[in-house]
Every structure is written in structure tokens, then in C-alpha cells.
Amino acid sequence: MQADTIILNARVLTMDPACPRAQAVAFANGILLAVGPDAEIMAHAGPQTRVIDAAGHTLMPGFFESHLHVGLGGAELSHLHIDGIVGREALAAALCAYSTHRPDAPILIAQGADYAILGRPMTRHDLDDIIADRPVALMSHDHHTVWANTAALRTAGLLHGADCAPGHEVVIGPDGLASGELREFEAFAAIMALGGETRLNLGIGTGEEPDPRPTDAEMASDSARIRDGLRHCAVHGITSMVTMDGNRYTLELLAGLRDAGDLTARVKVPFHMKPHMNMSALDRASAMTKEFDDDWLQSGFVKMFMDGVVDSGTAVMLRDYAGRIGHRGTPLFSQDRFDEIVREADRRGLQVAVHAIGDGAVHMVLDGCEAARDANGARDARHRIEHIELIDRADIPRLASLGVTASLQPPHPPGAMDFPLQPTLDVIGRDRWPDAYLCRTLRDAGARIAFASDWPVADVSVMRGIQAALTRPAYAGCADERLSLPEVLHAYTAGGAWAAHRDTLTGTLRTGLAADLVLLDANIEATPPEEIGRIVIALTICGGRVTHAGADWGDSPAA
């Protein structure tokens, strides 16, 4: 069969154990025709075949981003980004400059605020001293805490507090009014709604659908934000993703992009199961799974949150937080309730993916997966735990024995990429450092590993993520948790595809699978680990279509 495109003279890393290396690939109609030596692949050339000389650079399966928030990330591209900013003077300069360029914005939203940005707990008064006459909100880098000024709290109806579900809190100050710190989604949902992004936040925030039905103009606006997010991901070589911020509405928007030819990645979207929901809500998950199931769009899994994050003290621990006697965080589900949900989801053939950061939350999730296996029998469920920032030593072998995937984020360990060592390590406590941010230990114990960024929590750049995985620090008295380059690349490709039940479609380069590829503008195996983050993506190809082209490799797809 004649190829549409041939890429030759490449260093091909296939991620296929049967044929791990090659020189060239040929594909047609979005499917790989052959992977092998240059001469063999050129036999598929015809008069209309486009031949690309890779110049000895690395060619791989397109990157599989196992955990991100494409809608939120797309929307946040237009927000103020204050990553790395420390101190009142620098914060004030950034906010005031942004305010000048956004005179009509209903709220000024900044992303990437460090918990120690002012060197002490931040309050609404701190933000009032910078801007008092307009609503202002700062989102923490982990997206689990917002700090708002008085104008924002008043406009959102939160100045006098609000009733929230356990684990979510509008913090009240000594004066009986909201301090400005809002912990977890339910607490700050009304603040974020001021920016007009309510619909894109519904899935992760409440698990519900827009009501009333959005207008055509509103849907077009939301689609544009998702499309922006997809294009941003394509620049970084991403051809498949598991987005964690969705609902059925998200799938409808993505289906519209697919039908218009604007879908530049394969996307998997969850049903969010929240603590307030009845078991019958899983009927919606099953319906989404049945309705959306093709090579480009899938649902098929249930997302839950068991806890929050370390820095705000909302991650659930088995032992007290350092210096906080009696404080261990509050789980969002009771063990009995969680077990019931996982058993039923598993019985329906649904995958379960659970945000669990503290070792107490991880233990509860593993108990739930074990309860499902005991009730329904063993199956190829590939249930997942998202993040696992701490884990009890006794629970480490349970990941492999239960077939639970460790969905990890190389940019997250303090000091690995953009997140500082403090205050996180102090919050964890030195005696728990050996149990924090494990990767090599989990893999050596037999756990399946999938890598991701959690964008926009962290930079979506896969190259920077690879560098972080290879160069992350070992904390004092702790083991080296770095993986080798082949292991890291596997976790960003075949490992992610396996974890998402997409391994028969993508994730490896072998005949008959999708033509999802990324060509790097370098030989990654010859690049020092500390320089990998600067490697440029030359070409991103999804389903045989170029979705991004670097400056020296042709034009990117039309906007």
C-alpha cells in the first residue's frame, strides 16, 4: 500500500518490546503501515508520498498525557501567571500591570500563587492593600486554594462565610468574616464563576451539567477555550490525553471539535462522582461510556477525590501533620461509602480514578479497590490512583497485587521543576520524607506507572517533565527515586496508553496502530538530562495529521 507520509533517517524509539528500535515509519489514512529500516520503508513510497528526513533525531509515539485539565488549562492561558513571584512588591507590580490591561474584566485571576508568596498566611487585607476596588483572586499552583480580596468575596456572596461539604472551607478570620482563604472547589466555586468559566468548572467542581442549556454563543466560547488548550498541548507533542475536568457537556464540545476537524488529540473524559450523589448517578457514567466510545473520544471512567493537598493541610494522613497535633485531614468519602461506589462502578465495567495525595487517602483507595475485586472478581480494570504523594510502606506492594496504576506527575515533587522545596517538605515533616513522592520504589515493587503534568497545575511541557523525572533531587536521608530515560519515556507513552485502556490503539509504534507520533528536534538519548527540557518538538502528528510543526519543519496547522 502506498504511504501518505514516510519519515526516514530517524532514531525511532517504538516502545514495542518486539522491535524497540527502527529507522523509519510509513503511514496512510491515519494508520501505521510499516516500521523498520529506511530501505524497507521506502518501498511504500509513491508519487504522492511526502517524505520527511528526520536528520537523525528521535521519533517516538505521540506523548500520552495521563492527567491534565484541558478546558481549565485552555481558559487559564489568558489569566495572569505569577509562578515564581515572591514578595508583596513583585506581586503588586504584576497585579497592577495586569489590571491596567484588563480594565473591563469582572475579576482579575492570577494563577500559580505559592503558598509562601508573602512569607506568611495571606489574607483578603493583603490583597486589598494592592487592589481594593475590583475583585481579585489568586489561585494556588496546586489549584486547591484560592485567596480573594474583599471585593471578590463580597461579589461572590462569601464575605460572611458559606456552608461547604467536609474538606471544603471558607476560612473565617478573627473578625468573623471570611479571611480570604478558600480551600477546595466548593469553597471557591463562586469566586471562579465571576470570571465566566462556570461551565468549564462544573464537572470537576460539582459533577453536574449546565442548567439551563448553554446558548450557541456560550458553547462556542467554551469550545474555543478547549481548542486553545488542545493546540497548546499539540505544541508539546501530546496526541492523547486523559482530562480530569470534564462531564458530558465537555464530551459534547469535544465531539463538535471532532466533527469540525479541530480535534488535535484523542481525549478521555470522566464522570465525576461527588459525595452528595446517590448511587443512581452512576447511570450517567454508564450512559456517557456507551454514547462516547470511538478512537477519538471516550469516557469509561469515574473520577473521585478522596482528599485535598499537602500544603493546605487537606491531604488525608495516617499520622498527624508535622507540628499539628490531632490534625490528619478529612476524607471526602467514608470508607464504607467509597467501597460501595467502587464496587458498583467496577461491576458496571467502569474504571475508577481517584485523587489521593496523603497516605491515609491512598490506603482508603486501595481498600476500596480490594473490596471491588473481592465482590466482583478479578478483572482487567486498571483502576488508578492519581498523585500518591505519600504512601505507607505496607501499601506499596498492594498497587501491583491489585493491578492499580500509579498515575504520577514528575513536575510535582518539591525541587524537581517549578515547585519549591518549602513549605511542602516542612508540612510533611522530615520523618515522612522517605515515604513522599516515590516513583522508583513503586515501579520496583511492580506497580504500573503513567506520567503526566496535571496541567495547568504544572507546565504541560513533556520535555520539561522528562527532565524533572531524570534530575529530581533525593531528599535528605531518602532513596533516589529517579527512573532511567527509557522508563520515563515509556511512562509518557505506552504506560499512559495502557493505563487508559488505549494500548490497542496508540502508545507504541507498530503496524496497524494509529499514526500518532512526535519528532523531536534532537537526539534525546544523546542529550544531557539537565538539557532535555530545552528540546523543541519538531512535529506532532495525530491520526496521520500534522497538528504542530516547529519553525524548521513546515507550517503548523491553520488556526
Side-chain angles (χ1 to χ4, degrees):
M1 182 177 180
Q2 180 177 310
D4 296 335
T5 304
I6 288 175
I7 303 176
L8 78 168
N9 189 24
R11 296 178 182 272
V12 183
L13 303 178
T14 69
M15 303 300 148
D16 178 6
C19 179
R21 292 179 179 271
Q23 287 182 300
V25 301
F27 53 90
N29 300 318
I31 302 297
L32 289 166
L33 298 178
V35 180
D38 284 344
E40 179 181 312
I41 299 306
M42 284 304 294
H44 292 273
Q48 304 302 316
T49 300
R50 179 188 183 192
V51 178
I52 299 172
D53 184 348
H57 299 326
T58 299
L59 180 69
M60 296 175 52
F63 294 127
F64 203 114
E65 233 288 354
S66 290
H67 182 127
L68 54 57
H69 305 270
V70 70
L72 303 186
E76 291 180 14
L77 290 172
S78 63
H79 293 176
L80 173 64
H81 291 265
I82 57 173
D83 313 74
I85 285 181
V86 177
R88 183 197 178 282
E89 184 176 342
L91 176 61
L95 284 173
C96 291
Y98 186 69
S99 174
T100 299
H101 290 94
R102 300 290 192 283
D104 300 321
I107 183 171
L108 301 172
I109 302 176
Q111 298 290 341
D114 190 279
Y115 279 85
I117 192 169
L118 297 182
R120 55 175 171 74
M122 184 161 40
T123 71
R124 61 186 170 94
H125 304 296
D126 294 314
L127 295 175
D128 291 346
D129 286 343
I130 298 172
I131 296 177
D133 60 344
R134 299 180 63 183
V136 175
L138 275 58
M139 176 75 79
S140 64
H141 58 69
D142 56 30
H143 284 62
H144 285 259
T145 302
V146 163
W147 297 273
N149 70 351
T150 302
L153 293 166
R154 182 179 291 113
T155 303
L158 298 176
L159 188 58
H160 296 278
D163 293 331
C164 296
H168 304 249
E169 182 182 6
V170 176
V171 178
I172 301 299
D175 59 359
L177 300 177
S179 73
E181 182 177 351
L182 309 165
R183 298 174 181 170
E184 300 299 332
F185 305 109
E186 285 192 20
F188 56 69
I191 293 287
M192 302 312 291
L194 300 178
E197 295 166 12
T198 303
R199 293 180 302 276
L200 291 176
N201 281 278
L202 274 178
I204 195 169
T206 69
E208 303 299 341
E209 303 292 335
D211 185 22
R213 175 77 178 176
T215 65
D216 290 346
E218 288 170 337
M219 292 186 71
S221 174
D222 292 341
S223 291
R225 286 166 167 162
I226 292 176
R227 186 171 59 244
D228 289 345
L230 288 166
R231 288 175 175 169
H232 186 68
C233 290
V235 171
H236 295 287
I238 294 166
T239 58
S240 294
M241 62 182 66
V242 179
T243 188
M244 297 290 182
D245 58 348
N247 50 9
R248 190 185 185 284
Y249 178 61
T250 305
L251 283 161
E252 288 183 45
L253 296 176
L254 287 164
L257 293 174
R258 177 199 59 199
D259 297 344
D262 289 335
L263 190 57
T264 54
R266 306 178 195 280
V267 189
K268 192 160 186 172
V269 179
F271 171 78
H272 279 272
M273 187 72 177
K274 299 296 184 180
H276 69 271
M277 293 179 174
N278 296 322
M279 291 296 291
S280 60
L282 290 176
D283 290 343
R284 292 160 56 195
S286 294
M288 286 166 56
T289 297
K290 183 177 180 181
E291 184 175 355
F292 299 94
D293 185 18
D294 59 39
D295 287 350
W296 290 92
L297 289 180
Q298 271 194 339
S299 183
F301 77 109
V302 175
K303 172 75 190 300
M304 289 184 278
F305 283 84
M306 184 55 80
D307 66 350
V309 292
V310 168
D311 286 346
S312 68
T314 53
V316 174
M317 304 294 192
L318 289 172
R319 285 166 268 183
D320 293 351
Y321 276 82
R324 301 178 67 180
I325 297 174
H327 181 75
R328 300 185 177 188
T330 302
L332 302 184
F333 292 87
S334 70
Q335 187 70 64
D336 287 346
R337 177 62 171 164
F338 181 75
D339 292 355
E340 180 186 21
I341 293 168
V342 179
R343 280 196 299 265
E344 176 58 17
D346 183 78
R347 185 191 69 79
R348 292 169 178 251
L350 297 168
Q351 186 184 34
V352 172
V354 188
H355 167 115
I357 281 183
D359 57 354
V362 172
H363 182 80
M364 293 179 71
V365 176
L366 289 170
D367 280 357
C369 293
E370 186 171 351
R373 185 193 63 181
D374 292 346
N376 303 324
R379 70 179 185 89
D380 188 21
R382 307 183 195 182
H383 298 315
R384 308 158 52 118
I385 302 181
E386 311 297 319
H387 310 308
I388 315 183
E389 295 189 2
L390 285 101
I391 185 170
D392 186 73
R393 290 280 155 173
D395 283 331
I396 291 173
R398 298 178 71 198
L399 290 164
S401 65
L402 292 170
V404 174
T405 298
S407 174
L408 308 177
Q409 294 71 45
H412 283 196
M417 201 166 91
D418 295 330
F419 299 160
L421 294 172
Q422 301 298 355
T424 308
L425 291 185
D426 280 351
V427 175
I428 291 172
R430 181 178 287 268
D431 64 327
R432 298 306 316 282
W433 292 357
D435 303 325
Y437 302 97
L438 305 185
C439 186
R440 163 65 59 192
T441 297
L442 298 184
R443 189 187 184 285
D444 287 350
R448 295 272 195 158
I449 304 292
F451 275 168
S453 67
D454 199 10
W455 183 64
V457 170
D459 187 352
V460 78
S461 168
V462 180
M463 291 294 102
R464 294 193 69 212
I466 292 169
Q467 178 174 319
L470 295 172
T471 63
R472 54 173 289 187
Y475 308 128
C478 301
D480 184 347
E481 292 295 331
R482 294 175 297 176
L483 298 183
S484 68
L485 178 61
E487 291 167 334
V488 172
L489 297 181
H490 185 276
Y492 271 115
T493 55
W498 186 90
H501 292 277
R502 301 292 258 177
D503 49 312
T504 58
L505 172 66
T506 190
T508 58
L509 300 182
R510 63 179 191 268
T511 302
L513 266 62
D516 297 347
L517 309 103
V518 59
L519 176 64
L520 310 183
D521 200 5
N523 175 3
I524 194 171
E525 295 175 290
T527 304
E530 63 274 11
E531 296 178 11
I532 286 176
R534 294 196 289 271
I535 292 177
V536 173
I537 304 299
L539 288 173
T540 306
I541 299 171
C542 187
R545 180 166 64 101
V546 175
T547 57
H548 166 73
D552 297 329
W553 297 85
D555 297 327
S556 290

